[in-house]
Amino acid sequence: MGRADPEEGHLPPPVKPPDGGWGWIVLLGCFVITGFSYAFPKAVSVYFKELMKDFHVGYSDTAWISSIMLAMLYGTGPVCSIMVNQFGCRPVMLIGGLLASSGMILASFTTNIIELYLTAGVLTGLGMALNFQPSLIMLGTYFDKRRPLANGLAAAGSPVFLSSLSPLGQVLLEKFGWRGGFLIMGGLLLNCCTCGAVMRPLDAGMKRKMGKAQDKYEAKEMLPIGGKSEEGISTTDGTKKAKKAKKKPKKGKKLLDFSIFSNRGFIIYTISKFILVLGLFVPPILLVNYAKDTGVPDTEAAFLLSIIGFIDIFARPACGMVAGLKWVRPHVSYLFSFAMLFNGLTDICSARASNYTGLVIFCVFFGISYGMVGALQFEVLMAIVGSQKFSSAIGLVLLIEAFAVLIGPPSAGRLVDALKNYEVIFYLAGSEVVLSAVFLAVATYCCLNRGKKKEPPPEKNPPGGGSDTEEAESDVQEAEEHSSDNHQPTHNTDNAVVAASEEANHVAEEQSGEGGGGPEGDGEVLARDGCNADQTVERDSF
């Protein structure tokens, strides 16, 4: 089969991720959305001291603003999945951008801390959640072969925006106060609407082309037969009815696909990610206070986070490039396990760092390992569940991670207050990250790879690294089967003509047998002659 030409009446080729083109614009939008989603809750902490003075509250009260933002980002994952499956990515992102911006604008007019929770916390957090998840879904739609690199570049938005939003917030606070700063930040969040507008659906135009081409293909096949236009029209009508009958099941599309829990790879990933989040965010949260307790000045202690962010900017794209190599991508889950193991061992080895030099070395290695984890976490999930079920999978994973986020850092803070010892916290956090790495690697090898070795692989693609183009090819096969089904009325007409000719020949045989009174063996000769007559009648009928 050659290339399909819609103009000639053939079915067009399957929709494939372009791995470029408009996909780079989608990648840029995902870069901006990722930066706002992860960096904004941390950048808001610049305004906490002024909020404490104006509202006469403590630091823990103002810290709840960032906590609510993160809780909304993770906890509303299933809601985002349902909305994406129902309305699509672009409308959801546009609504999310408006909610995020309006939340910060309304927060600039608040008069108490509760109103801040509802505006800056709930509204802005929900808006960023409605932007973050659809942007990742669109990224997986536009990229297949270059998807690891695309995920790494998009994940780099987090450290880039963190290193820029914090100084910008400080400048806005000094010139306009926290109310003016919130108002300007709300205006910046309107850029999320711009990012949502560029998320053009990939298969919208291709579906229309396939529909038109299929109609032309069916018309050319049906109309010329026997020169009877009425039969062609009735066949076309039957084809349209069959199309409608096949389209009916699509109306019952699941808003949230729970069948992914039957995927063992998804279960393993979810458990590993829950254990990972328990300890992953603890060291950077406690690092500044840990440095101050060891006698490091405030300015130098704050600079430690800048080191992590600077290293993280380069680690994520670099790790994405490595994950995209042909001999690495089939084993991307093991690379993810190595990244987690590297991060956990970094926490454990730096637990006894007692001077500024040791803490700087820790920040360098932590930035590398943290960037690797950030670049690979969604790439592994896409490889496990595929792009079709990714919208439901990421929503459920983020919901499960929300519980870990609410358990891990607060529990570590309570242990610090009780034990007055940061060393134990670093050991505990590192052990949790190492445990998640070991669990993912061992479970993937024992439960997935061994099971697939027993059964002969039907496809050449490696486990977990399947291409999205296979799903498109299956859709084209269904279309071809559908078009072959539409030819059944024509074949039925041919069979009717042949059957009529056979009946006529049978009558002729009986008449010749009665009139000639020939022997029984002559019947065989007549039967053979009858077959030739059938063929002649069949040719004449056409």
Side-chain angles (χ1 to χ4, degrees), residues 371-405:
M372 292 175 65
V373 172
L376 296 174
Q377 55 180 345
F378 297 117
E379 168 61 26
V380 174
L381 181 60
M382 289 180 186
I384 290 174
V385 301
S387 61
Q388 298 297 323
K389 295 185 178 181
F390 181 71
S391 60
S392 297
I394 189 175
L396 295 171
V397 167
L398 290 176
L399 177 62
I400 295 172
E401 286 184 19
F403 293 101
V405 169

mmCIF file of all heavy atoms in Angstrom, residues 371-405:
data_model
loop_
_atom_site.group_PDB
_atom_site.id
_atom_site.type_symbol
_atom_site.label_atom_id
_atom_site.label_comp_id
_atom_site.label_asym_id
_atom_site.label_seq_id
_atom_site.Cartn_x
_atom_site.Cartn_y
_atom_site.Cartn_z
ATOM 1 N N GLY A 371 16.687 17.599 39.497
ATOM 2 C CA GLY A 371 16.337 17.889 38.113
ATOM 3 C C GLY A 371 16.063 16.629 37.309
ATOM 4 O O GLY A 371 15.157 16.599 36.463
ATOM 5 N N MET A 372 16.815 15.570 37.571
ATOM 6 C CA MET A 372 16.586 14.301 36.880
ATOM 7 C C MET A 372 15.205 13.738 37.229
ATOM 8 O O MET A 372 14.476 13.262 36.358
ATOM 9 C CB MET A 372 17.676 13.304 37.241
ATOM 10 C CG MET A 372 19.054 13.664 36.715
ATOM 11 S SD MET A 372 20.339 12.515 37.289
ATOM 12 C CE MET A 372 19.812 11.007 36.488
ATOM 13 N N VAL A 373 14.859 13.796 38.498
ATOM 14 C CA VAL A 373 13.542 13.300 38.917
ATOM 15 C C VAL A 373 12.427 14.122 38.273
ATOM 16 O O VAL A 373 11.429 13.578 37.778
ATOM 17 C CB VAL A 373 13.428 13.316 40.455
ATOM 18 C CG1 VAL A 373 12.005 12.999 40.898
ATOM 19 C CG2 VAL A 373 14.393 12.325 41.073
ATOM 20 N N GLY A 374 12.591 15.438 38.267
ATOM 21 C CA GLY A 374 11.571 16.296 37.686
ATOM 22 C C GLY A 374 11.398 16.095 36.189
ATOM 23 O O GLY A 374 10.288 16.202 35.664
ATOM 24 N N ALA A 375 12.488 15.785 35.488
ATOM 25 C CA ALA A 375 12.410 15.603 34.039
ATOM 26 C C ALA A 375 11.814 14.260 33.649
ATOM 27 O O ALA A 375 11.226 14.132 32.567
ATOM 28 C CB ALA A 375 13.805 15.742 33.423
ATOM 29 N N LEU A 376 11.931 13.252 34.503
ATOM 30 C CA LEU A 376 11.541 11.893 34.134
ATOM 31 C C LEU A 376 10.196 11.462 34.685
ATOM 32 O O LEU A 376 9.616 10.485 34.198
ATOM 33 C CB LEU A 376 12.614 10.892 34.611
ATOM 34 C CG LEU A 376 13.994 11.020 33.966
ATOM 35 C CD1 LEU A 376 14.976 10.078 34.648
ATOM 36 C CD2 LEU A 376 13.924 10.716 32.483
ATOM 37 N N GLN A 377 9.669 12.144 35.698
ATOM 38 C CA GLN A 377 8.497 11.622 36.389
ATOM 39 C C GLN A 377 7.284 11.478 35.461
ATOM 40 O O GLN A 377 6.591 10.443 35.472
ATOM 41 C CB GLN A 377 8.150 12.510 37.578
ATOM 42 C CG GLN A 377 7.947 13.978 37.264
ATOM 43 C CD GLN A 377 7.598 14.789 38.500
ATOM 44 O OE1 GLN A 377 7.243 14.244 39.539
ATOM 45 N NE2 GLN A 377 7.695 16.110 38.403
ATOM 46 N N PHE A 378 7.007 12.465 34.623
ATOM 47 C CA PHE A 378 5.855 12.375 33.736
ATOM 48 C C PHE A 378 6.164 11.599 32.461
ATOM 49 O O PHE A 378 5.260 11.023 31.853
ATOM 50 C CB PHE A 378 5.336 13.771 33.406
ATOM 51 C CG PHE A 378 4.843 14.528 34.606
ATOM 52 C CD1 PHE A 378 5.459 15.699 35.011
ATOM 53 C CD2 PHE A 378 3.773 14.047 35.351
ATOM 54 C CE1 PHE A 378 5.011 16.389 36.125
ATOM 55 C CE2 PHE A 378 3.323 14.727 36.468
ATOM 56 C CZ PHE A 378 3.944 15.902 36.857
ATOM 57 N N GLU A 379 7.415 11.574 32.051
ATOM 58 C CA GLU A 379 7.799 10.771 30.895
ATOM 59 C C GLU A 379 7.564 9.286 31.170
ATOM 60 O O GLU A 379 7.066 8.545 30.310
ATOM 61 C CB GLU A 379 9.270 11.033 30.546
ATOM 62 C CG GLU A 379 9.867 10.065 29.556
ATOM 63 C CD GLU A 379 9.164 10.070 28.212
ATOM 64 O OE1 GLU A 379 8.570 11.098 27.848
ATOM 65 O OE2 GLU A 379 9.211 9.035 27.526
ATOM 66 N N VAL A 380 7.910 8.836 32.373
ATOM 67 C CA VAL A 380 7.689 7.434 32.732
ATOM 68 C C VAL A 380 6.199 7.112 32.757
ATOM 69 O O VAL A 380 5.764 6.055 32.281
ATOM 70 C CB VAL A 380 8.345 7.124 34.098
ATOM 71 C CG1 VAL A 380 8.013 5.716 34.563
ATOM 72 C CG2 VAL A 380 9.854 7.299 34.013
ATOM 73 N N LEU A 381 5.395 8.025 33.289
ATOM 74 C CA LEU A 381 3.956 7.794 33.338
ATOM 75 C C LEU A 381 3.357 7.732 31.936
ATOM 76 O O LEU A 381 2.498 6.878 31.651
ATOM 77 C CB LEU A 381 3.278 8.897 34.156
ATOM 78 C CG LEU A 381 1.764 8.787 34.335
ATOM 79 C CD1 LEU A 381 1.396 7.484 35.031
ATOM 80 C CD2 LEU A 381 1.221 9.972 35.113
ATOM 81 N N MET A 382 3.792 8.605 31.026
ATOM 82 C CA MET A 382 3.305 8.563 29.649
ATOM 83 C C MET A 382 3.689 7.249 28.968
ATOM 84 O O MET A 382 2.906 6.676 28.210
ATOM 85 C CB MET A 382 3.883 9.733 28.851
ATOM 86 C CG MET A 382 3.324 11.095 29.213
ATOM 87 S SD MET A 382 4.075 12.393 28.199
ATOM 88 C CE MET A 382 3.371 13.857 28.953
ATOM 89 N N ALA A 383 4.904 6.771 29.255
ATOM 90 C CA ALA A 383 5.346 5.525 28.645
ATOM 91 C C ALA A 383 4.562 4.332 29.163
ATOM 92 O O ALA A 383 4.365 3.352 28.444
ATOM 93 C CB ALA A 383 6.844 5.321 28.913
ATOM 94 N N ILE A 384 4.079 4.405 30.392
ATOM 95 C CA ILE A 384 3.362 3.277 30.993
ATOM 96 C C ILE A 384 1.931 3.196 30.481
ATOM 97 O O ILE A 384 1.464 2.135 30.060
ATOM 98 C CB ILE A 384 3.384 3.388 32.531
ATOM 99 C CG1 ILE A 384 4.804 3.140 33.060
ATOM 100 C CG2 ILE A 384 2.417 2.378 33.163
ATOM 101 C CD1 ILE A 384 4.949 3.378 34.542
ATOM 102 N N VAL A 385 1.203 4.308 30.505
ATOM 103 C CA VAL A 385 -0.232 4.281 30.204
ATOM 104 C C VAL A 385 -0.556 4.716 28.788
ATOM 105 O O VAL A 385 -1.654 4.439 28.303
ATOM 106 C CB VAL A 385 -1.010 5.159 31.202
ATOM 107 C CG1 VAL A 385 -0.782 4.682 32.617
ATOM 108 C CG2 VAL A 385 -0.621 6.626 31.073
ATOM 109 N N GLY A 386 0.342 5.405 28.087
ATOM 110 C CA GLY A 386 0.054 5.897 26.751
ATOM 111 C C GLY A 386 -0.678 7.226 26.788
ATOM 112 O O GLY A 386 -1.226 7.637 27.811
ATOM 113 N N SER A 387 -0.722 7.880 25.645
ATOM 114 C CA SER A 387 -1.309 9.215 25.582
ATOM 115 C C SER A 387 -2.827 9.198 25.721
ATOM 116 O O SER A 387 -3.423 10.175 26.165
ATOM 117 C CB SER A 387 -0.926 9.892 24.264
ATOM 118 O OG SER A 387 -1.418 9.143 23.167
ATOM 119 N N GLN A 388 -3.485 8.071 25.329
ATOM 120 C CA GLN A 388 -4.941 8.025 25.378
ATOM 121 C C GLN A 388 -5.469 8.040 26.802
ATOM 122 O O GLN A 388 -6.500 8.638 27.098
ATOM 123 C CB GLN A 388 -5.445 6.763 24.652
ATOM 124 C CG GLN A 388 -5.098 6.718 23.179
ATOM 125 C CD GLN A 388 -5.752 7.842 22.406
ATOM 126 O OE1 GLN A 388 -6.874 8.229 22.677
ATOM 127 N NE2 GLN A 388 -5.021 8.387 21.431
ATOM 128 N N LYS A 389 -4.781 7.384 27.716
ATOM 129 C CA LYS A 389 -5.237 7.293 29.101
ATOM 130 C C LYS A 389 -4.450 8.204 30.034
ATOM 131 O O LYS A 389 -4.640 8.153 31.247
ATOM 132 C CB LYS A 389 -5.120 5.848 29.595
ATOM 133 C CG LYS A 389 -6.038 4.880 28.866
ATOM 134 C CD LYS A 389 -5.968 3.485 29.476
ATOM 135 C CE LYS A 389 -6.931 2.544 28.780
ATOM 136 N NZ LYS A 389 -6.902 1.182 29.375
ATOM 137 N N PHE A 390 -3.572 9.029 29.479
ATOM 138 C CA PHE A 390 -2.718 9.868 30.333
ATOM 139 C C PHE A 390 -3.529 10.903 31.095
ATOM 140 O O PHE A 390 -3.189 11.243 32.228
ATOM 141 C CB PHE A 390 -1.661 10.556 29.466
ATOM 142 C CG PHE A 390 -0.710 11.420 30.255
ATOM 143 C CD1 PHE A 390 0.233 10.852 31.094
ATOM 144 C CD2 PHE A 390 -0.770 12.800 30.159
ATOM 145 C CE1 PHE A 390 1.100 11.643 31.811
ATOM 146 C CE2 PHE A 390 0.095 13.598 30.884
ATOM 147 C CZ PHE A 390 1.039 13.017 31.718
ATOM 148 N N SER A 391 -4.609 11.412 30.487
ATOM 149 C CA SER A 391 -5.406 12.445 31.159
ATOM 150 C C SER A 391 -6.011 11.914 32.452
ATOM 151 O O SER A 391 -6.043 12.620 33.464
ATOM 152 C CB SER A 391 -6.504 12.952 30.225
ATOM 153 O OG SER A 391 -7.357 11.895 29.841
ATOM 154 N N SER A 392 -6.496 10.678 32.439
ATOM 155 C CA SER A 392 -7.051 10.084 33.661
ATOM 156 C C SER A 392 -5.944 9.670 34.623
ATOM 157 O O SER A 392 -6.076 9.818 35.837
ATOM 158 C CB SER A 392 -7.921 8.874 33.312
ATOM 159 O OG SER A 392 -9.026 9.242 32.528
ATOM 160 N N ALA A 393 -4.840 9.155 34.079
ATOM 161 C CA ALA A 393 -3.758 8.652 34.928
ATOM 162 C C ALA A 393 -3.115 9.769 35.738
ATOM 163 O O ALA A 393 -2.898 9.623 36.947
ATOM 164 C CB ALA A 393 -2.709 7.947 34.068
ATOM 165 N N ILE A 394 -2.820 10.901 35.106
ATOM 166 C CA ILE A 394 -2.149 11.969 35.827
ATOM 167 C C ILE A 394 -3.051 12.578 36.892
ATOM 168 O O ILE A 394 -2.592 12.978 37.972
ATOM 169 C CB ILE A 394 -1.637 13.054 34.848
ATOM 170 C CG1 ILE A 394 -0.745 14.059 35.592
ATOM 171 C CG2 ILE A 394 -2.795 13.748 34.166
ATOM 172 C CD1 ILE A 394 -0.119 15.084 34.701
ATOM 173 N N GLY A 395 -4.358 12.620 36.625
ATOM 174 C CA GLY A 395 -5.275 13.141 37.633
ATOM 175 C C GLY A 395 -5.301 12.284 38.880
ATOM 176 O O GLY A 395 -5.257 12.785 40.017
ATOM 177 N N LEU A 396 -5.348 10.972 38.699
ATOM 178 C CA LEU A 396 -5.369 10.063 39.855
ATOM 179 C C LEU A 396 -4.025 10.052 40.581
ATOM 180 O O LEU A 396 -3.980 9.980 41.811
ATOM 181 C CB LEU A 396 -5.742 8.658 39.375
ATOM 182 C CG LEU A 396 -7.159 8.523 38.802
ATOM 183 C CD1 LEU A 396 -7.353 7.161 38.162
ATOM 184 C CD2 LEU A 396 -8.200 8.746 39.890
ATOM 185 N N VAL A 397 -2.929 10.142 39.838
ATOM 186 C CA VAL A 397 -1.604 10.165 40.474
ATOM 187 C C VAL A 397 -1.429 11.431 41.306
ATOM 188 O O VAL A 397 -0.925 11.382 42.438
ATOM 189 C CB VAL A 397 -0.496 10.044 39.404
ATOM 190 C CG1 VAL A 397 0.864 10.387 39.991
ATOM 191 C CG2 VAL A 397 -0.467 8.646 38.820
ATOM 192 N N LEU A 398 -1.830 12.580 40.773
ATOM 193 C CA LEU A 398 -1.708 13.829 41.526
ATOM 194 C C LEU A 398 -2.569 13.818 42.782
ATOM 195 O O LEU A 398 -2.178 14.372 43.821
ATOM 196 C CB LEU A 398 -2.088 15.016 40.642
ATOM 197 C CG LEU A 398 -1.115 15.352 39.506
ATOM 198 C CD1 LEU A 398 -1.661 16.492 38.658
ATOM 199 C CD2 LEU A 398 0.258 15.705 40.044
ATOM 200 N N LEU A 399 -3.740 13.181 42.705
ATOM 201 C CA LEU A 399 -4.578 13.079 43.900
ATOM 202 C C LEU A 399 -3.893 12.253 44.985
ATOM 203 O O LEU A 399 -3.908 12.627 46.165
ATOM 204 C CB LEU A 399 -5.923 12.447 43.532
ATOM 205 C CG LEU A 399 -6.884 12.201 44.696
ATOM 206 C CD1 LEU A 399 -7.265 13.509 45.384
ATOM 207 C CD2 LEU A 399 -8.127 11.465 44.214
ATOM 208 N N ILE A 400 -3.284 11.153 44.596
ATOM 209 C CA ILE A 400 -2.572 10.320 45.570
ATOM 210 C C ILE A 400 -1.353 11.057 46.116
ATOM 211 O O ILE A 400 -1.025 10.963 47.309
ATOM 212 C CB ILE A 400 -2.176 8.982 44.917
ATOM 213 C CG1 ILE A 400 -3.440 8.194 44.559
ATOM 214 C CG2 ILE A 400 -1.285 8.164 45.839
ATOM 215 C CD1 ILE A 400 -3.177 6.945 43.744
ATOM 216 N N GLU A 401 -0.670 11.819 45.253
ATOM 217 C CA GLU A 401 0.484 12.590 45.720
ATOM 218 C C GLU A 401 0.065 13.688 46.696
ATOM 219 O O GLU A 401 0.860 14.086 47.558
ATOM 220 C CB GLU A 401 1.200 13.221 44.523
ATOM 221 C CG GLU A 401 1.993 12.237 43.691
ATOM 222 C CD GLU A 401 2.747 12.927 42.577
ATOM 223 O OE1 GLU A 401 2.939 14.157 42.671
ATOM 224 O OE2 GLU A 401 3.148 12.240 41.626
ATOM 225 N N ALA A 402 -1.155 14.186 46.562
ATOM 226 C CA ALA A 402 -1.614 15.246 47.468
ATOM 227 C C ALA A 402 -1.589 14.770 48.918
ATOM 228 O O ALA A 402 -1.227 15.534 49.823
ATOM 229 C CB ALA A 402 -3.022 15.689 47.071
ATOM 230 N N PHE A 403 -1.967 13.521 49.158
ATOM 231 C CA PHE A 403 -1.924 12.991 50.519
ATOM 232 C C PHE A 403 -0.484 12.910 51.023
ATOM 233 O O PHE A 403 -0.203 13.220 52.187
ATOM 234 C CB PHE A 403 -2.581 11.609 50.564
ATOM 235 C CG PHE A 403 -4.050 11.629 50.298
ATOM 236 C CD1 PHE A 403 -4.553 11.286 49.053
ATOM 237 C CD2 PHE A 403 -4.949 12.008 51.282
ATOM 238 C CE1 PHE A 403 -5.916 11.301 48.797
ATOM 239 C CE2 PHE A 403 -6.314 12.038 51.040
ATOM 240 C CZ PHE A 403 -6.792 11.686 49.799
ATOM 241 N N ALA A 404 0.449 12.519 50.145
ATOM 242 C CA ALA A 404 1.851 12.450 50.548
ATOM 243 C C ALA A 404 2.417 13.837 50.837
ATOM 244 O O ALA A 404 3.218 14.009 51.765
ATOM 245 C CB ALA A 404 2.671 11.758 49.466
ATOM 246 N N VAL A 405 1.994 14.839 50.049
ATOM 247 C CA VAL A 405 2.468 16.211 50.282
ATOM 248 C C VAL A 405 1.985 16.731 51.635
ATOM 249 O O VAL A 405 2.709 17.437 52.353
ATOM 250 C CB VAL A 405 2.010 17.130 49.136
ATOM 251 C CG1 VAL A 405 2.254 18.592 49.478
ATOM 252 C CG2 VAL A 405 2.737 16.773 47.851
#
